């Protein structure tokens, strides 16, 4: 069988093998009696160099149709490459041009383009070195996540995107409707939702956690991996209106088990990506952020630091550093505090646990004394919080009280409370913003450059 | 290390090993000096039987707290089981009750419940035999899909859920907005979308295909696997407003390659599930539909039939069968025709190709003569169409013409046309409704019973 994928040829292709490749021209250099064409099919950072001799029958008419971005098929013999930085190249025996790419109008010229510019041509930007590396790494991360959980017997559960409930009472939700907004049915001056598709106000989910808890009470260990939404009007390099989230949930698990899972999870994913995409990771280290390889090593080889919130506050106070937000117990840690802990003090991922009850969500388990809850945040150097999790409140009476304290209506949570009514068990889980992970891994500074088609305020093109 | 997952113990547990299990009571039978408790943790169809002797210290007080649905932990020694149908059981040495489940109010009693009733308690129904088997099979299908594509070097691409475009001009879309519907900003009597979050009307996607094509023009082979939406007001056993879809897209691929992929894909997924979930599949065959094992064998072991639409119409006419919808060339085949072909005539999955241009979407490649397009549908016995795909129109001028003929505005498709402008290549792909696949595999008659939290008209609970 002919090998055709260029990644495979670059890795294992043997001299004298005849292969056919199909892809796009990355660069072309015409010489007197032949032309070098670097062909990429997106399977690897590097393309394969094809040497096309002028004595091929269609050379005269066809070679000039090839320019950056044009598509072609080349068949030829693999030969050791005399060029530097490449083990092997191809001596073309025939080639066919599929589609041209007019150099006068093709937006991707050989020069470097800004990421801002590339976002406006998101339909083409995956053809650039950087973005193609990002999306290969993104795919490897995704595959690693599924492998990690499936190997451990976790079930992937598809929690709903459309929901009538608001997981954290957080508010920032998009409304979903089948109404024609120019002709809303009204009832006593208000929109009559009973006439809408679902018969009540419906939103895009902000988290699959509550439904994952349902599934965990039947299958013990489950995880979600799907899109979630936040209608926050934040135009920052860290926010998307649509992003992917990973949320494992484990029955018979406490905060310690949750931390252990989060730590092995991150180590596994980094290791996997380093093994599958070494060239892409090298590229990021060289071109984007020269600390990404160190960071990966750091994650893979170090035990994460673990401190309670109370200890962390003490350490921040003892640091005598000047923070913009003054440090005192009860403070909702800001990025500056998180980064100090992970980057300067521990110099590695740091798990902070047992946060003040006041600043955390109603479903987190109350610790003895009730001043703190069994929550944990994993803080990563440079990124800050990358994982947030908790042991969940499994005691019916406590949960009911906590709902009321949070001014949420227990009746709306009837099914969530039922989980505590029938066969309740200690359980825990966490949430990971998938794009933050890809940012962290690649060193890309803007989150819009790690998702193929970013959705942010006023941006919904493609 | 202690084995704890019950599936693993049932499969490989050795007598005299001490293990701890954690789970929920499925049944309890009290005898004079001991109690049988069948414990399940959701990892397998069968639970593990624990024999709890009355001489255990907490027996008196705790055994009565155990009833169907209660949660517990049991440690004990594995012993060969004298009972029929089980290889091994556990002689308990200690047990702890986590949470009770009041038999007076617990909705899941030992008797059989209707699937309609269970849908109203979707937060508990995964604890029943049938639904737990469904979701284990659903997970195995999902894992198989990722493995299939990843092994073949396809990239998983996350296409957007929020979109301003309507892939097929199909219409049935949900609107997404950040507006307060009771206070819509207006401009000359119409809603002023420029003030909405995205600055224009925004919808939930009906397909990731067009964006998958973008990614395929950079990475050659990609696939999507994510939620899609259809705002159709259909209350049937085959329709969901929110469902998961799988859409591979391949560059340098024609209709033949597309069919080959679809066929190996289905074979792979069925084989994988038969290997991973044999007990669940047995269960479906015994309790739900006694043809599911035959169907799986049929898919795995037979080459799919392949006929053109024109041939299929001839065969339908020659059959002399009385169809509700009379057969003639140009007809959009109905379920009755599809089922006749796959169930009665070929008795196996059947791929119909080259449909009339009139009845298919604008992006499908025109065949020579332009009467037909390079489309294909895979028809499965009992289910009808399970996969729909096509070679895409890669010729810029033809595509522009087809858009206009479909009364779509080429300007709105500028980026889709750019893919044909710069390095266009023959490419093809297909779409598979994931829930239809799970239905097909398990024999479940209602699609609402193969997704954890179904969304249909007026149903958005949980």
């Amino acid at each position: 069988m002919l090998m055709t994928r260029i990644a495979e040829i670059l890795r294992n292709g043997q001299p004298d093998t005849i292969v056919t490749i199909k892809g796009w021209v990355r660069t072309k250099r015409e010489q007197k009696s032949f032309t070098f064409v670097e062909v990429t099919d997106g399977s690897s950072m590097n393309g394969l160099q094809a040497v096309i001799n002028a004595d091929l029958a269609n050379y005269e008419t066809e070679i000039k149709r090839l320019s950056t971005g044009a598509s072609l098929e080349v068949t030829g013999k693999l030969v050791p490459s005399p060029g530097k930085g490449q083990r092997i190249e191809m001596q073309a025996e025939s080639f066919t041009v599929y589609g041209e790419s007019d150099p006068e109008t093709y937006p991707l010229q050989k020069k470097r383009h800004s990421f801002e510019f590339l976002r406006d041509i998101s339909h083409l930007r995956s053809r650039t070195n950087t973005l193609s590396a990002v999306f290969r790494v993104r795919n490897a991360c995704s595959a690693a996540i599924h492998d990690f959980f499936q190997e451990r017997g976790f079930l992937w559960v598809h929690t709903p995107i459309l929901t009538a409930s608001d997981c954290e009472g957080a508010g920032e939700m998009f409304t979903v409707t089948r109404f024609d907004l120019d002709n809303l049915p009204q009832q006593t001056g208000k929109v009559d939702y009973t006439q809408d598709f679902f018969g009540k106000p419906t939103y895009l989910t902000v988290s699959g956690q509550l439904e994952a808890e349902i599934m965990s009470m039947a299958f013990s260990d489950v995880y979600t991996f799907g899109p979630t939404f936040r209608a926050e009007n934040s135009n920052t390099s860290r926010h998307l209106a649509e992003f992917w989230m990973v949320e494992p949930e484990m029955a018979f698990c406490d905060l310690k088990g949750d931390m252990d899972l989060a730590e092995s999870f991150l180590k596994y994913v980094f290791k996997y990506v380093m093994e599958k995409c070494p060239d892409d990771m090298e590229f990021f280290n060289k071109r984007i952020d020269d600390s990404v390889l160190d960071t990966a090593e750091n994650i893979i080889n170090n035990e994460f630091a673990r401190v309670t919130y109370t200890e962390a506050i003490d350490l921040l106070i003892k640091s005598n550093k000047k923070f913009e937000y003054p440090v005192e117990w009860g403070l909702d840690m800001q990025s500056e505090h998180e980064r100090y802990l992970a980057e300067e003090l521990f110099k590695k991922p740091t798990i902070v646990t047992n946060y003040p009850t006041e600043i955390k969500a109603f479903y987190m388990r109350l610790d003895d004394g009730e001043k703190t809850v069994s929550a944990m945040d994993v803080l990563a150097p440079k990124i800050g919080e990358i994982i947030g999790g908790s042991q969940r409140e499994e005691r019916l009476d406590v949960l009911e009280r906590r709902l009321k304290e949070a001014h949420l209506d227990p009746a709306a949570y009837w099914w969530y409370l039922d989980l505590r009514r029938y066969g309740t068990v200690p359980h825990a889980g966490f949430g990971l913003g998938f794009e933050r992970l890809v940012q962290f891994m690649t060193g890309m500074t803007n989150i819009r450059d790690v998702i193929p088609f970013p959705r942010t305020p006023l941006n919904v093109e493609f």
Side-chain angles (χ1 to χ4, degrees), chain A residues 171-183:
Chain A
E172 307 284 354
M173 299 177 90
F174 287 105
T175 299
V176 174
T177 177
R178 188 68 175 101
F179 285 146
D180 170 0
L181 297 196
D182 285 317
N183 287 294

Side-chain angles (χ1 to χ4, degrees), chain A residues 52-70:
Chain A
I52 304 183
N53 274 324
D55 55 12
L56 292 184
N58 59 347
Y59 188 87
E60 200 71 50
T61 57
E62 295 296 288
I63 201 77
K64 58 170 175 279
R65 298 178 60 207
L66 291 179
S67 58
T68 299

Side-chain angles (χ1 to χ4, degrees), chain A residues 9 57 135 183 208 222 238 293-294 302 369 401 404 418 436 449:
Chain A
I9 293 173
F135 296 131
N183 287 294
V222 303
R238 290 165 51 85
L293 291 181
D294 285 345
N302 285 302
R401 173 156 58 88
K404 282 178 210 144
D418 264 7
R436 294 264 171 96
D449 299 326

Side-chain angles (χ1 to χ4, degrees), chain A residues 206-317:
Chain A
V206 296
S207 160
Q209 179 199 315
L210 304 195
E211 289 92 353
E213 287 187 55
I214 288 177
M215 300 305 275
S216 162
M217 294 302 107
F219 299 104
S220 302
D221 295 334
V222 303
Y223 67 108
T224 73
F225 186 3
T228 48
F229 304 84
R230 212 60 52 92
E232 249 175 293
N233 214 333
S234 316
N235 253 314
T236 80
S237 61
R238 290 165 51 85
H239 289 89
L240 291 168
E242 173 181 337
F243 56 99
W244 283 61
M245 196 133 92
V246 179
E247 297 178 286
E249 190 71 35
M250 294 159 286
F252 307 102
C253 181
D254 59 13
L255 191 63
K256 162 89 171 50
D258 206 26
M259 287 191 278
D260 292 345
L261 188 85
E263 180 166 346
S264 9
F265 171 82
L266 285 176
K267 286 183 195 305
Y268 185 99
V269 175
F270 272 85
K271 215 173 192 170
Y272 186 103
V273 172
M274 288 297 294
E275 278 167 25
K276 298 276 176 172
C277 306
D279 297 344
D280 296 319
M281 291 301 292
E282 288 280 358
F283 173 86
F284 291 120
N285 205 63
K286 208 149 96 188
R287 297 292 185 83
I288 302 295
D289 177 344
D290 64 9
S291 70
V292 300
L293 291 181
D294 285 345
T295 300
E297 289 304 316
N298 186 337
I299 298 261
I300 294 168
N301 299 321
N302 285 302
E303 260 183 44
F304 292 9
R306 299 185 183 194
V307 286
T308 65
Y309 170 88
T310 304
E311 289 162 354
I313 291 294
D314 279 352
L315 291 167
L316 288 168
I317 290 171

Side-chain angles (χ1 to χ4, degrees), chain A residues 11 120 123 125 135 143 152 173 193 269 278 286 314 320 326 330 341 343 348 357 420 430:
Chain A
R11 216 178 296 121
D120 290 337
H123 64 308
R125 67 175 181 162
F135 296 131
R152 282 159 186 74
M173 299 177 90
Y193 285 104
V269 175
K286 208 149 96 188
D314 279 352
N320 284 321
L341 291 170
E343 286 170 30
K348 58 182 181 178
T357 307
R420 279 70 182 170
F430 64 75

Side-chain angles (χ1 to χ4, degrees), chain A residues 97-110:
Chain A
V97 178
Y98 283 108
E100 301 180 25
S101 175
D102 183 357
E104 296 297 313
T105 61
Y106 189 50
L108 290 175
Q109 297 308 321
K110 230 190 138 178

Side-chain angles (χ1 to χ4, degrees), chain A residues 43-159:
Chain A
S43 61
S44 60
M45 171 53 64
N46 298 307
L48 182 68
Q49 175 160 283
V51 186
I52 304 183
N53 274 324
D55 55 12
L56 292 184
N58 59 347
Y59 188 87
E60 200 71 50
T61 57
E62 295 296 288
I63 201 77
K64 58 170 175 279
R65 298 178 60 207
L66 291 179
S67 58
T68 299
S71 49
L72 77 165
E73 174 176 334
V74 197
T75 298
K77 187 189 283 187
L78 297 181
V79 294
S81 175
K84 61 174 170 5
Q86 52 197 13
R87 189 179 62 85
I88 210 150
E89 63 183 32
M90 174 195 273
Q91 189 61 53
E93 296 179 352
S94 68
F95 74 105
T96 310
V97 178
Y98 283 108
E100 301 180 25
S101 175
D102 183 357
E104 296 297 313
T105 61
Y106 189 50
L108 290 175
Q109 297 308 321
K110 230 190 138 178
K111 70 178 179 101
R112 262 201 164 164
H113 301 286
S114 74
F115 291 126
E116 290 73 17
F117 168 78
L118 290 177
R119 263 170 242 144
D120 290 337
I121 49 165
S122 287
H123 64 308
L124 300 174
R125 67 175 181 162
S126 294
R127 305 176 181 195
T128 64
N129 284 345
T130 306
L131 273 295
S132 86
V134 166
F135 296 131
R136 276 190 302 274
V137 166
R138 186 179 168 106
N139 172 68
C141 275
S142 304
I145 288 168
H146 282 302
D147 282 3
F148 175 84
F149 288 119
Q150 293 287 333
E151 281 174 12
R152 282 159 186 74
F154 284 61
L155 245 56
W156 185 21
V157 295
H158 297 119
T159 51

